[in-house]
């Protein structure tokens, strides 16, 4: 459990560096990430390098015993590069070039960018690859941030056409796969294919999806280029990237194939403020100063999966951010609570953003651990408190007893399915993270630990597998479901689309029909405020909203006799049915119903979910090794259902809003 910070020596006078390094050490930090935007300082002119300042910065940090994570600086190409090679600059969906003057002004497909990247990353890795203080490498910074995954340059178009040729070989095959019989859209050659934007109305869904897949592959390729160069010169040093929250524009699982660790940047308050598409205004008020109780945790679990079990928080919000519409002050205690929450979910490092608030530049209103005048800010004080508490915990714990174990429940995240829902949402609120977070949140309210896994990840050892509306079930997942003995819970729309984004044949739920003798004969989405009553008998009454799959049972299938309809909509259509170890939810339902239905499935799986009332609003539990962590976001004090023989280490069984509790679980409790 290490603590770190993001630091920009190039933004401060050299005379402060030593003092800063000493203060970092005194605060209990041990890792510092630097350099990820400093390309123009490292290479002031093409091929001319200035390492003196970076050598010195690393030495100053190392002299205080601090470890360095070195970021490659490609998120901020220097002006000389874009001047000499305008193809580096991306073009937005509006057809306009995104000029020099901020950051991320590059197109992933630019050959000039690749060449310049090869030069700077090689030079950097050669110089610092073997440096004892440089313990890890970060590639670039937040791929895709500021809407930069998709770029509409002529270079990107040519690359897209080549990508299509490699995938389909002949244009006839592509036409067939895309369903160009519709509106007579036969493309005459690969060279005739354009971007799927700007047409009078939506482009072919398969065209849009292939463009998303292509753009994702471009990110993967660019990252791989960097990783290979770093590995060649920095043997034994882990390579990571800092991914973002609420962001799915490229396939993170594909990208992380080349990484050792998935890091992510956690801004709980910024994320609540920007999640307007699936958090209501009252919810955003409620969690505005604490962060949402499940959103941050979801990302920890997601990125632990993306990172093959290794997850870091590379940037942790430590006070107000500057980039949301409204930027609240964290509730006192939350910086500490977020840090413990990250550790509870398996983080190896939590690194705060940033060391000191900078009084100039675009982020001058963004807080840090220290105020612009150098005094420790509230977040800094809380970081110091966490340091002392980690030391206390480590007196009782060791690596073995703190090892994150496999969770009993797996929730599958499939990036292409998220793109499919965005391309054809059919109901405005069905795209994005909302439906997935509803399932994740229900599991967590029942006190269950969750692994968020890739669609091709092994399912061995899981008692329950949740497909939270995974539109496309790839063959690898279907095979794993076949081999598994887990209880499977599928949300609405699961299995409804082919890889090419058309409706499955036979009808949805596609491959799930192997287990469930049902057909989705129609679907409907519902405007906000419209609900359909649901009667689940002994499992409660409630409301459906947003979406429903209208299910008919296949009367000819023998399996019909084994199929139980456990809940129905007011018009008689099944809302929840089960056969054997498969459960199907035919729509989005209110939280209380979802909790009950998932509770039933969890008990079928041999798990012991908590009573939904056991965790007060905002209270969540998470086990790591032999330890139980409780994080409470309020709004009122909450009693933690602590197992009988657990030994208290930190906090008490009644937690105030923003408080944390840790217990040592004796085996079996
Ligand atoms: C992240 C980014 C940082 C900084 C931070 C501010 O997206 O990686 O460089 O801009 O946001 O919250």
């Amino acid at each position: 459990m290490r603590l770190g910070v993001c630091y920009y020596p190039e933004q401060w006078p050299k005379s402060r560096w030593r003092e800063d390094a000493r203060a970092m050490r005194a605060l209990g930090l041990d890792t510092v990430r630097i350099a990820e935007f400093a390309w123009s300082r490292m290479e002031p002119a093409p091929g001319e390098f200035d390492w003196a300042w970076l050598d010195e910065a690393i030495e100053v940090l190392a002299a205080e015993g601090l470890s360095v994570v070195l970021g490659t600086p490609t998120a901020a190409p220097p002006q000389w590069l874009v001047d000499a090679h305008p193809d580096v600059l991306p073009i937005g969906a509006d057809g306009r070039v995104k000029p020099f003057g901020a950051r991320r002004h590059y197109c992933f497909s630019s050959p000039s960018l690749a060449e310049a990247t090869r030069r700077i990353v090689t030079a950097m890795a050669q110089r610092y690859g073997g440096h004892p203080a440089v313990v890890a490498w970060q590639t670039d910074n937040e791929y895709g941030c500021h809407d930069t995954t998709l770029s509409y340059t002529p270079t990107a178009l040519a690359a897209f056409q080549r990508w299509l040729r490699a995938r389909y070989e002949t244009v006839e095959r592509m036409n067939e796969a895309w369903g160009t019989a519709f509106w007579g859209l036969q493309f005459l050659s690969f060279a005739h294919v354009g971007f799927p934007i700007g047409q009078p109305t939506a482009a072919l869904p398969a065209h849009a999806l292939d463009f998303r897949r292509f753009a994702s592959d471009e990110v993967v390729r660019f990252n791989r280029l960097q990783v290979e160069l770093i590995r060649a010169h920095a043997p034994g040093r882990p390579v990571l990237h800092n991914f973002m929250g609420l962001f799915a524009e490229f396939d993170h699982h594909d990208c992380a194939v080349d990484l050792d660790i998935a890091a992510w940047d956690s801004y709980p308050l910024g994320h609540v403020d920007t999640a307007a598409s699936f958090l209501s205004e009252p919810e955003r008020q409620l969690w505005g100063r604490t962060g949402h109780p499940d959103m941050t945790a979801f990302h920890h679990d997601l990125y632990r999966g993306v990172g093959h079990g290794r997850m870091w928080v590379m940037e942790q919000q430590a006070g107000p951010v500057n980039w949301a519409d409204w930027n609240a002050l964290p509730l006192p205690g939350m910086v500490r609570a977020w840090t413990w929450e990250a550790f509870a979910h398996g983080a190896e490092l939590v690194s705060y953003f940033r060391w000191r608030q900078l009084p100039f530049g675009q982020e001058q209103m963004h807080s840090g651990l220290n105020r612009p005048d150098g005094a420790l800010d509230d977040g800094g004080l809380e970081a110091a408190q966490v340091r002392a508490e980690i030391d206390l915990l480590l007196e009782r714990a060791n690596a073995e007893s703190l090892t994150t174990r496999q969770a009993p429940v797996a929730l599958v995240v499939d990036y292409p399915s998220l793109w499919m829902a965005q391309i054809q949402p059919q109901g405005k609120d069905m795209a994005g993270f909302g439906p997935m977070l509803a399932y994740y949140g229900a599991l967590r309210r029942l006190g269950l630990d969750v692994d968020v896994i890739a669609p091709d990840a092994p399912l061995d050892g899981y008692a329950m597998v949740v497909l939270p509306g995974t539109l496309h079930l790839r063959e690898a997942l279907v095979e794993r479901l076949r081999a598994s003995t887990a209880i499977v819970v599928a949300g609405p729309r699961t299995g409804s689309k082919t890889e090419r984004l058309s409706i499955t044949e036979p009808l949805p739920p596609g491959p799930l029909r192997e287990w469930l003798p049902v057909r989705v004969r129609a679907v409907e989405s519902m405007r906000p405020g419209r609900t359909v009553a649901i009667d689940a008998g002994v499992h409660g009454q409630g409301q459906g909203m947003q979406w429903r799959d209208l299910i008919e049972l296949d009367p000819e299938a023998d399996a019909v006799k084994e199929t139980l309809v456990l809940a129905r909509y007011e018009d008689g259509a099944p809302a929840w049915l089960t056969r054997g170890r498969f459960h199907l939810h035919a729509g989005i339902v209110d939280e209380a119903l979802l909790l009950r239905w998932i509770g039933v499935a969890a008990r079928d799986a041999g798990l012991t979910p908590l009573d939904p009332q056991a965790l007060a609003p905002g209270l969540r539990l998470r086990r790591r090794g032999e330890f139980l962590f409780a994080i409470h976001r309020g709004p009122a004090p909450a009693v933690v259902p602590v197992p009988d023989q657990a030994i208290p280490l930190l906090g008490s069984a009644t937690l105030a809003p923003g408080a944390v509790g840790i217990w040592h679980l004796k085996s079996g409790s």
Side-chain angles (χ1 to χ4, degrees):
M1 294 185 176
R2 286 152 50 197
L3 291 181
V5 73
C6 304
Y7 185 52
Y8 300 91
E10 71 278 18
Q11 296 170 359
W12 301 99
K14 263 191 197 169
S15 53
R16 286 191 92 140
W17 292 0
R18 253 167 234 291
E19 188 193 320
D20 282 345
R22 264 197 300 273
M24 288 171 191
R25 195 71 219 171
L27 201 64
L29 307 179
D30 43 57
T31 306
V32 187
R33 185 199 62 181
I34 59 171
E36 78 276 12
F37 300 114
W39 193 343
S40 70
R41 298 297 164 105
M42 292 180 218
E43 192 181 2
E48 279 174 33
F49 298 103
D50 175 4
W51 300 116
W53 71 273
L54 189 52
D55 289 355
E56 193 180 335
I58 294 174
E59 287 322 315
V60 166
L61 296 168
E64 285 297 330
L66 294 160
S67 302
V68 172
V69 177
L70 212 47
T72 66
T74 45
Q79 184 151 40
W80 55 255
L81 178 62
V82 306
D83 274 8
H85 303 283
D87 69 287
V88 168
L89 292 175
I91 293 180
D94 59 0
R96 287 161 65 167
V97 174
K98 297 182 183 173
F100 181 82
R103 62 176 173 183
R104 298 218 58 76
H105 43 276
Y106 71 74
C107 167
F108 281 96
S109 304
S110 159
S112 316
L113 174 78
E115 192 192 319
T117 294
R118 201 170 281 123
R119 189 168 63 218
I120 184 68
V121 175
T122 304
M124 220 178 152
Q126 276 173 343
R127 188 158 191 98
Y128 302 110
H131 196 297
V134 178
V135 298
W137 289 74
Q138 173 185 302
T139 53
D140 200 282
N141 189 79
E142 293 191 340
Y143 290 133
C145 186
H146 315 310
D147 196 13
T148 55
T149 310
L150 306 178
S151 166
Y152 301 92
T153 60
T155 321
L157 184 58
F160 179 41
Q161 291 165 348
R162 283 196 300 276
W163 185 94
L164 289 170
R165 186 186 294 278
R167 186 173 174 87
Y168 296 107
E169 288 172 9
T170 66
V171 76
E172 290 74 24
R173 259 193 235 150
M174 187 196 78
N175 279 319
E176 172 67 26
W178 283 9
T180 53
F182 190 70
W183 288 344
L185 283 172
Q186 274 83 355
F187 289 94
L188 300 176
S189 73
F190 289 113
H192 283 84
V193 178
F195 293 118
I197 54 157
Q199 290 80 6
T201 184
L204 283 164
H207 181 181
L209 181 63
D210 269 349
F211 184 57
R212 302 292 302 264
R213 289 191 202 276
F214 154 76
S216 178
D217 285 358
E218 291 293 87
V219 177
V220 172
R221 198 174 52 80
F222 184 64
N223 183 64
R224 182 170 301 150
L225 165 71
Q226 301 211 13
V227 174
E228 283 171 358
L229 297 171
I230 295 167
R231 291 207 194 285
H233 302 289
R237 307 297 199 278
V239 185
L240 56 89
H241 176 73
N242 58 332
F243 298 104
M244 287 188 284
L246 296 177
F247 188 81
E249 281 185 10
F250 60 90
D251 192 322
H252 292 40
H253 292 121
D254 284 354
C255 186
V257 165
D258 297 306
L259 300 171
D260 303 298
I261 299 169
W264 79 286
D265 296 343
S266 176
Y267 292 96
L269 304 193
H271 291 149
V272 164
D273 204 82
T274 50
S277 63
F278 60 92
L279 291 186
S280 65
E281 184 54 32
E283 283 173 305
R284 288 198 287 159
Q285 294 280 354
L286 182 59
W287 310 118
R289 296 192 62 200
T290 58
H292 186 276
D294 298 309
M295 215 190 283
T296 309
F298 167 78
H299 287 94
H300 292 319
D301 292 339
L302 169 70
Y303 286 120
R304 214 181 50 251
V306 169
H308 330 283
R310 296 195 67 185
M311 181 268 290
W312 289 11
V313 176
M314 201 68 253
E315 298 178 12
Q316 172 62 62
Q317 176 169 6
V321 300
N322 67 311
W323 45 263
D325 286 343
W326 287 275
N327 299 291
L329 204 59
L331 191 74
M334 278 325 294
V335 174
R336 165 181 178 252
W338 292 330
T339 311
W340 276 117
E341 183 178 48
F343 286 136
H345 285 262
E348 299 172 9
L349 167 84
V350 177
S351 160
Y352 300 98
F353 190 90
R354 54 186 286 149
W355 172 243
R356 188 189 300 112
Q357 184 171 353
L358 185 72
F360 56 88
Q362 285 91 324
E363 292 181 352
Q364 56 187 268
M365 299 304 289
H366 197 295
S367 62
L369 292 179
N370 295 277
R371 309 186 317 204
D373 68 359
L376 211 52
D377 210 339
D378 297 344
L381 293 166
E382 291 187 25
Q385 185 184 349
V386 176
R387 175 75 265 164
E389 291 168 349
I390 293 175
D391 294 341
L392 194 81
L393 173 63
L394 292 180
E395 283 172 20
R396 307 277 190 93
N398 54 36
E400 168 70 21
S401 64
L402 271 170
T403 300
T404 302
R405 296 176 188 156
Q406 181 175 2
V409 183
L411 181 129
V412 175
V413 167
D414 177 58
Y415 286 92
S417 288
L418 288 166
W419 306 335
M420 292 181 192
Q422 270 168 14
I423 292 167
Q424 284 209 324
Q426 183 70 5
K428 196 174 174 187
D429 40 13
M430 290 303 288
F433 286 87
M436 200 150 66
L437 276 167
Y439 275 90
Y440 178 83
L443 292 162
R444 303 287 299 128
R445 290 240 1 233
L446 296 170
L448 299 167
D449 289 347
V450 180
D451 287 347
V452 178
I453 63 166
D456 53 2
L459 300 179
D460 314 300
Y462 290 112
M464 182 157 139
V465 175
V466 178
L467 310 166
T470 312
L471 268 71
H472 171 61
L473 294 179
R474 51 181 96 177
E475 190 47 39
L477 175 55
V478 175
E479 272 167 30
R480 299 227 193 241
L481 289 172
R482 220 173 263 143
S484 151
T485 54
I487 296 290
V488 178
V489 177
R493 306 201 75 181
T494 300
S496 58
K497 298 292 178 181
T498 67
E499 199 200 2
R500 296 162 178 178
L501 187 39
S502 43
I503 297 170
T504 56
E505 250 183 74
L507 284 180
L512 285 187
R513 292 186 54 172
E514 183 172 330
W515 296 282
L516 293 158
V518 301
R519 288 189 282 256
V520 177
R521 67 174 175 83
V523 301
E524 76 161 337
S525 56
M526 293 174 253
R527 297 185 72 82
R530 197 191 134 201
T531 55
V532 186
I534 294 176
D535 185 354
V538 293
H539 301 301
Q541 281 72 43
Q543 303 295 324
M545 65 252 318
Q546 284 180 240
W547 184 277
R548 58 181 188 146
D549 289 329
L550 289 141
I551 302 259
E552 63 185 20
L553 289 146
D554 178 355
E556 273 146 46
D558 285 348
V560 159
K561 295 183 216 88
E562 301 153 10
T563 305
L564 301 174
V565 177
L566 297 178
R568 286 188 188 275
Y569 289 103
E570 61 193 27
D571 57 10
W576 169 29
L577 31 80
T578 167
R579 174 175 169 253
R581 58 191 183 87
F582 280 74
H583 288 241
L584 183 66
H585 299 165
I588 304 276
V589 301
D590 66 53
E591 194 186 4
L593 272 187
L594 187 61
L595 283 166
R596 295 190 70 151
W597 297 4
I598 298 222
V600 169
R603 277 186 291 276
D604 282 0
L607 304 174
T608 40
L610 293 176
D611 182 288
Q613 304 312 319
L615 295 185
L619 175 63
R620 294 290 184 275
L621 306 179
R622 169 78 201 183
R623 281 137 290 255
R624 173 168 169 172
E626 296 172 6
F627 295 86
L628 174 71
F629 296 76
I631 312 292
H632 184 43
R633 285 171 161 87
V639 177
V640 183
V642 182
D644 280 348
Q645 293 140 13
I647 304 162
L649 286 182
L650 193 74
S652 65
T654 303
L655 296 180
V660 174
I662 306 179
W663 291 264
H664 192 181
L665 298 169
K666 290 222 176 130
S667 53
S669 67

